[in-house]
Amino acid sequence: MPVSNEIRNLLVNLGQPTETEHLIKTPERVEKFWLEFLGHSDKELSELTSFTATQDTTVFINDLNVNSMCAHHLLPFWGRAWIGYTPGERMAGLSKFQRAVNKFSYNLTCQEEITRKTADFIQEQLSPKGVIVVLQCVHSCMVLRGVKSATSSTTTICTTGSFADNEILKANFLASINFLKP
């Protein structure tokens, strides 16, 4: 049975009038969204294209987009990511860091997993001296249901290497970012 038929049945079981102008094509639109979201092309990113590091610097990439779907409630969450890394012998093009976040975001998942998997991926791909990944997201499962907290956001941080070992480096990175204002 096509997914759109299942979505139509869900709407009917929830008492929604599926033959109205606004809902008649909703099952097909919802099916198209889920196929696009779960099949997002950046999930196929298998490696970070890298090049030789020529500088001994720490790189901060700010305000990357995060869009995901809560595995617990099938509701969206969104926000921003900040990544810092101190290259070892390899560096990556800056756009690759957005692709790395996308690789783990476009899925049914949780914020903590995106943060950890992104940091681990960068660590595995580039073998830097250290990585820090910070995500701050607004979860619609907190906003629309349960406690209905419209002003809350959640921040997760994962560190490796020099960012885990050097509190000053970590503090400098955290001081450099502008957190969301819900």
Side-chain angles (χ1 to χ4, degrees):
M1 178 178 277
V3 173
S4 60
N5 288 346
E6 296 295 330
I7 295 165
R8 188 173 316 285
N9 289 339
L10 173 66
L11 291 171
V12 168
N13 288 335
L14 292 172
Q16 297 301 305
T18 58
E19 298 306 317
T20 66
E21 177 183 358
H22 296 291
L23 288 177
I24 197 161
K25 292 188 178 185
T26 296
E28 291 80 11
R29 288 190 293 263
V30 170
E31 178 179 14
K32 183 178 178 183
F33 162 77
W34 280 107
L35 292 173
E36 179 183 318
F37 181 81
L38 294 175
H40 193 275
S41 62
D42 281 340
K43 287 172 66 174
E44 303 304 317
L45 178 67
S46 60
E47 63 182 46
L48 290 176
T49 306
S50 63
F51 51 91
T52 303
T54 58
Q55 306 285 326
D56 187 21
T57 59
T58 298
V59 179
F60 294 169
I61 304 103
N62 299 311
D63 297 321
L64 300 168
N65 292 319
V66 177
N67 294 292
S68 195
M69 204 61 80
C70 171
H72 304 130
H73 301 100
L74 299 183
L75 291 171
F77 64 93
W78 61 92
R80 295 189 295 184
W82 297 267
I83 297 173
Y85 81 110
T86 303
E89 295 180 14
R90 307 297 296 164
M91 296 178 71
L94 297 176
S95 68
K96 301 303 184 227
F97 294 94
Q98 178 67 67
R99 292 185 187 281
V101 171
N102 290 351
K103 175 180 178 65
F104 302 109
S105 297
Y106 284 86
N107 212 338
L108 298 175
T109 188
C110 67
Q111 182 175 333
E112 297 87 343
E113 283 186 349
I114 298 168
T115 309
R116 166 54 66 191
K117 286 180 178 180
T118 301
D120 289 348
F121 183 71
I122 295 166
Q123 186 67 47
E124 291 165 9
Q125 293 290 308
L126 299 177
S127 299
K129 295 174 185 171
V131 175
I132 185 169
V133 175
V134 177
L135 267 65
Q136 187 172 56
C137 297
V138 174
H139 292 255
S140 58
C141 57
M142 290 276 295
V143 173
L144 298 173
R145 57 165 300 282
V147 296
K148 295 184 177 86
S149 178
T151 59
S152 70
S153 65
T154 301
T155 303
T156 51
I157 301 172
C158 182
T159 59
T160 70
S162 58
F163 281 95
D165 301 335
N166 185 332
E167 287 298 320
I168 294 172
L169 181 60
K170 181 178 175 180
N172 285 340
F173 176 81
L174 293 174
S176 77
I177 63 180
N178 294 316
F179 285 109
L180 289 173
K181 305 233 184 313

